[in-house]
């Protein structure tokens, strides 16, 4: 079968389908377990995932952080509060963090939150929910308000509890997997019925046991003196941007070129290091790309060998917000972080030519050890604070050296 395209009309970009895997887990300052393959779906032969979104709460960054948080206030907080407490400011230990990204021209917000605890603080949780949405602002050109983003994925330890029912009733309902009565008294479900903004967020069915509170290193619900009621504190929500009302009688509908469907929503009972169980959601995101050309296209020039410097070609779109602080990094395939470069170059300082959007820079690779690894190039935009271009993987050949052959001629060796 052959596909033809009219020269008078450019081909429309094909629809994209991406699989997104979301993980939320309050790890209660515990160290990572030895095996996370099941949680990350790596024990499946073909997990068919395009993107991982992982959000943790109560994460400790090391033994000193753990000791500081449990025995003392950390020194930075102590310093700031010495200054701010006399001015009537109060430090809270809950909140949310947000990542904004642009995906094929669509704005996507990812929010990881930890809302106030305890059954009686439901109003405070709802206030924090609204506050996080209203107060999130992004630096950068033309980034819309978070509520104008095409997709919001919101997850975390939201701390919503089950009202009215006593401990014995809730535990018996969980034991017999009779969840429907508990859903009716779930504080988040109740709030969604009456809160206009919260109602716009969707959630999958809670077909798994409540994920809090467990005795650590077991699957037993809280046996301490407090004996907290089980609750679905750990949740994953999403919201698609709605089209404006055409009239007062017509409900708003999602944008026609972007849809999100939930493939699975579950907890993982096998992990016992925390008093919470991790929760995951697998989504299929379908969209019609609004942009089909990357902001930056990177191309290593010719055969790369380990000499002093090598040439990089790159092109950029006319509306790209370039900056003198943009740089290109050389990485081994499998990099873990943007700072894992083996070499880098400032694009303005090392530019050798430019013509009709095609630019050339040199990058120093003389200090790279001889290796069979594959490499790639990444362009980092200071204005957008993000990687905006990645090359295809390539190899760098070992440096040539000379060797005399039996006939007395000098031959280059690779």
């Amino acid at each position: 079968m052959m596909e033809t395209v009219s020269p008078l009309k450019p081909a429309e970009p094909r629809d994209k389908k991406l699989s997104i895997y979301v993980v939320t887990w309050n790890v209660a300052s515990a160290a990572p377990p030895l095996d996370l393959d099941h949680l990350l779906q790596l024990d499946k032969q073909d997990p068919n995932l395009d993107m991982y979104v992982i959000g943790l709460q109560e994460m400790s960054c090391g033994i000193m952080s753990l000791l500081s948080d449990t025995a003392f206030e950390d020194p930075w907080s102590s310093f700031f509060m010495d200054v701010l407490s006399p001015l009537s400011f109060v430090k809270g230990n809950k909140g949310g963090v947000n990542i904004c990204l642009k995906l094929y021209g669509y704005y996507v917000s990812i929010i990881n939150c930890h809302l106030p605890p305890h059954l009686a603080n439901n109003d405070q949780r709802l206030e924090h929910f609204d506050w996080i949405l209203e107060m999130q602002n992004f630096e950068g050109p033309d980034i819309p308000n978070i509520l104008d983003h095409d997709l919001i994925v919101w997850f975390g330890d939201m701390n919503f509890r089950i009202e009215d029912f006593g401990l014995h009733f809730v535990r018996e309902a969980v034991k017999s997997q009779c969840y429907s009565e508990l859903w009716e008294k779930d504080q988040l479900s109740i709030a969604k019925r009456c809160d206009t903004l919260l109602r716009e967020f969707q959630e999958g069915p809670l077909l798994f046991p409540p994920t809090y509170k467990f005795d650590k290193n077991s699957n037993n619900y809280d046996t301490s003196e407090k004996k907290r009621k089980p609750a679905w504190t750990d949740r994953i929500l999403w919201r698609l941007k709605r089209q404006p009302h055409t009239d007062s009688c017509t409900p708003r509908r999602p944008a026609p070129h972007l849809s999100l469907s939930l493939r699975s929503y579950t907890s993982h009972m096998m992990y016992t290091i925390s008093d919470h169980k991790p929760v995951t959601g697998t989504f299929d995101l379908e969209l019609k790309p609004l942009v089909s050309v990357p902001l930056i296209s990177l191309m290593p020039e010719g055969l790369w060998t380990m000499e002093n410097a090598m040439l990089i070609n790159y092109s950029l779109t006319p509306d790209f917000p370039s900056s003198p602080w943009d740089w290109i990094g050389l990485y081994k395939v499998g990099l873990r972080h943007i700072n894992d470069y083996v070499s880098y170059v400032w694009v303005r300082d090392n530019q050798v030519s430019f013509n009709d959007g095609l630019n050339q820079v040199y990058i120093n690779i003389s200090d790279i050890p001889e290796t069979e690894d594959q490499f790639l190039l990444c362009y980092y935009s200071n204005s957008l604070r993000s990687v905006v271009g990645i090359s295809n993987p390539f190899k760098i050949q070992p440096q040539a050296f000379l060797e005399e052959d039996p006939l007395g001629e000098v031959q280059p060796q690779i």
Side-chain angles (χ1 to χ4, degrees), residues 126 129-130 133 145-154 158 188-204 236-245 250-255 260 283:
L126 296 174
F129 190 93
D130 291 340
L133 284 175
N145 179 277
I146 184 173
L147 289 174
D148 290 322
H149 285 197
D150 299 289
L151 171 64
I152 301 173
V153 180
W154 189 321
M158 299 187 180
L188 178 55
S189 300
I190 294 171
K192 281 172 60 64
R193 293 196 287 267
C194 55
D195 186 285
T196 304
L197 180 57
L198 194 54
R199 192 184 304 144
E200 294 188 359
F201 284 84
Q202 301 180 60
E203 184 182 17
I236 301 174
L237 311 177
W238 73 94
R239 173 188 181 269
L240 289 168
K241 182 181 177 181
R242 303 284 172 169
Q243 293 177 311
H245 285 283
T250 304
R252 291 189 295 171
R253 293 175 295 177
L260 190 75
F283 297 89

Side-chain angles (χ1 to χ4, degrees), residues 177-223:
Q177 298 185 8
C178 297
Y179 301 138
S180 56
E181 290 186 83
L182 303 182
W183 298 337
E184 295 298 316
K185 299 297 181 180
D186 169 68
Q187 289 178 331
L188 178 55
S189 300
I190 294 171
K192 281 172 60 64
R193 293 196 287 267
C194 55
D195 186 285
T196 304
L197 180 57
L198 194 54
R199 192 184 304 144
E200 294 188 359
F201 284 84
Q202 301 180 60
E203 184 182 17
L206 298 170
L207 302 178
F208 49 87
T211 54
Y212 175 85
K213 174 180 172 58
F214 290 87
D215 293 335
K216 289 187 179 181
N217 301 311
S218 80
N219 282 326
N220 300 321
Y221 285 103
D222 188 17
T223 60

Side-chain angles (χ1 to χ4, degrees), residues 64-82:
M64 293 308 296
S65 173
L66 177 62
L67 291 174
S68 174
D69 290 344
T70 54
F72 314 98
E73 186 174 51
D74 71 90
W76 281 97
S77 293
S78 179
F79 172 81
F80 283 122
M81 293 316 298
D82 285 344

Side-chain angles (χ1 to χ4, degrees), residues 115-363:
L115 301 183
H118 307 309
L119 180 66
N121 288 335
N122 192 45
D123 289 343
Q124 191 178 0
R125 278 188 284 277
L126 296 174
E127 288 175 5
H128 279 222
F129 190 93
D130 291 340
W131 182 81
I132 290 170
L133 284 175
E134 293 171 1
M135 298 301 292
Q136 292 281 359
N137 294 310
F138 301 100
E139 295 181 3
D142 304 322
I143 300 180
N145 179 277
I146 184 173
L147 289 174
D148 290 322
H149 285 197
D150 299 289
L151 171 64
I152 301 173
V153 180
W154 189 321
F155 56 88
D157 179 1
M158 299 187 180
N159 259 320
F160 290 104
R161 307 303 171 95
I162 296 172
E163 294 184 347
D164 297 339
F165 296 134
L167 172 64
H168 179 72
F169 180 88
V170 173
R171 287 192 174 183
E172 285 300 313
V174 173
K175 186 177 180 181
S176 58
Q177 298 185 8
C178 297
Y179 301 138
S180 56
E181 290 186 83
L182 303 182
W183 298 337
E184 295 298 316
K185 299 297 181 180
D186 169 68
Q187 289 178 331
L188 178 55
S189 300
I190 294 171
K192 281 172 60 64
R193 293 196 287 267
C194 55
D195 186 285
T196 304
L197 180 57
L198 194 54
R199 192 184 304 144
E200 294 188 359
F201 284 84
Q202 301 180 60
E203 184 182 17
L206 298 170
L207 302 178
F208 49 87
T211 54
Y212 175 85
K213 174 180 172 58
F214 290 87
D215 293 335
K216 289 187 179 181
N217 301 311
S218 80
N219 282 326
N220 300 321
Y221 285 103
D222 188 17
T223 60
S224 70
E225 291 183 2
K226 293 183 178 179
K227 289 186 171 58
R228 295 180 179 86
K229 283 192 298 184
W232 286 287
T233 58
D234 309 282
R235 313 289 277 267
I236 301 174
L237 311 177
W238 73 94
R239 173 188 181 269
L240 289 168
K241 182 181 177 181
R242 303 284 172 169
Q243 293 177 311
H245 285 283
T246 54
D247 57 66
S248 58
C249 300
T250 304
R252 291 189 295 171
R253 293 175 295 177
H257 301 311
L258 183 74
S259 65
L260 190 75
S261 58
L262 181 67
R263 198 193 312 167
S264 70
Y265 187 35
T266 188
S267 63
H268 299 262
M269 297 291 290
M270 65 181 289
Y271 295 100
T272 62
I273 61 171
S274 170
D275 53 359
H276 291 252
K277 300 298 181 183
V279 171
T280 60
T282 308
F283 297 89
D284 289 323
L285 176 63
E286 295 188 56
L287 54 85
K288 183 181 290 295
L290 300 178
V291 294
S292 56
V293 178
L295 294 175
I296 297 288
S297 297
L298 290 161
M299 299 148 284
E301 174 69 16
L303 179 67
W304 283 46
T305 59
M306 292 177 181
E307 299 173 358
N308 290 333
M310 296 307 296
L311 190 64
I312 300 170
N313 291 335
Y314 70 93
S315 61
L316 45 82
T317 57
D319 57 347
F320 176 71
S322 60
S323 162
W325 300 105
D326 291 355
W327 51 275
I328 296 174
L330 175 68
Y331 298 83
K332 290 183 180 180
V333 171
L335 70 154
R336 296 162 58 96
H337 190 273
I338 188 62
N339 292 334
D340 291 345
Y341 52 79
V342 294
S343 185
Y344 73 93
V345 59
W346 300 103
V347 294
R348 294 282 179 89
D349 291 348
N350 295 73
Q351 190 174 59
V352 292
S353 68
F354 61 93
N355 182 29
D356 294 330
L358 182 65
N359 301 266
Q360 291 184 326
V361 295
Y362 277 104
I363 188 169

Side-chain angles (χ1 to χ4, degrees), residues 99-112:
I99 293 174
C100 170
L101 57 94
K102 207 169 184 182
L103 197 63
Y104 292 100
Y106 296 91
Y107 282 99
V108 178
S109 270
I110 298 170
I111 303 174
N112 174 19

